[in-house]
Amino acid sequence: MKLVGISGAIIGSKTALVVNKVLEEVKKQYPDVETELLDMKNYDVQFCDGRDPSAYTGDTKKVIDAVTSSDFCLIGTPIYQASMSGVLKNLFDLIPVTALQQKVVGFVATGGTYQHYLVIENQLKPIAGFFRSYVAPGYVYVHDDHFNEYKEITDPNVLERIERLAHELVFMQKRLKGSE
């Protein structure tokens, strides 16, 4: 069972830190789950131009294949201008419509205002619905104030939500796939 965590950012490190923190919590609670961090800043991904996803090559193909071959996904984005990152939107445009079908997905987001958590509710969850994914009920939004000067998450409520999201992802995946 493989969980792919996607950090939909090419600048900064906070989104990748939060995604990785959830992946670490999954490994801590469920050592049998394989995890992979797909940090988009490490890939030179082409813009979607409408061609069949199988026609892409290089890093774009690697990213599409990583998402498609995952058993379930954790998707993270910074919030810019009250929306997900362009990098993440491009990834959604690149992957086949079946890439997330009947897969459990969870969401994390980072941002600079407290209202931006609504992007998860108003943009990311509907996209998961389009892909026919099963969405974990909880999600994690991390404001700049939740990090200390060393870019460590210090807010106990956020850390608790990270633990809960890690559990929900694996719990749902195991239940939906008929394993305990």
Side-chain angles (χ1 to χ4, degrees), residues 11-45:
I11 295 175
S13 60
K14 290 178 182 172
T15 302
L17 288 168
V18 177
V19 171
N20 200 50
K21 186 78 170 164
V22 176
L23 295 178
E24 288 172 359
E25 190 61 36
V26 166
K27 288 302 285 181
K28 184 172 134 187
Q29 293 182 34
Y30 304 94
D32 57 316
V33 175
E34 179 185 351
T35 62
E36 176 185 352
L37 175 62
L38 186 63
D39 190 344
M40 295 301 289
K41 77 169 62 169
N42 297 327
Y43 297 90
D44 184 19
V45 175

Side-chain angles (χ1 to χ4, degrees), residues 104-129:
V104 174
V105 298
F107 295 111
V108 301
T110 57
T113 75
Y114 282 102
Q115 293 76 20
H116 280 153
Y117 76 91
L118 291 171
V119 170
I120 295 171
E121 289 289 339
N122 296 324
Q123 294 178 24
L124 296 175
K125 284 185 175 183
I127 289 170

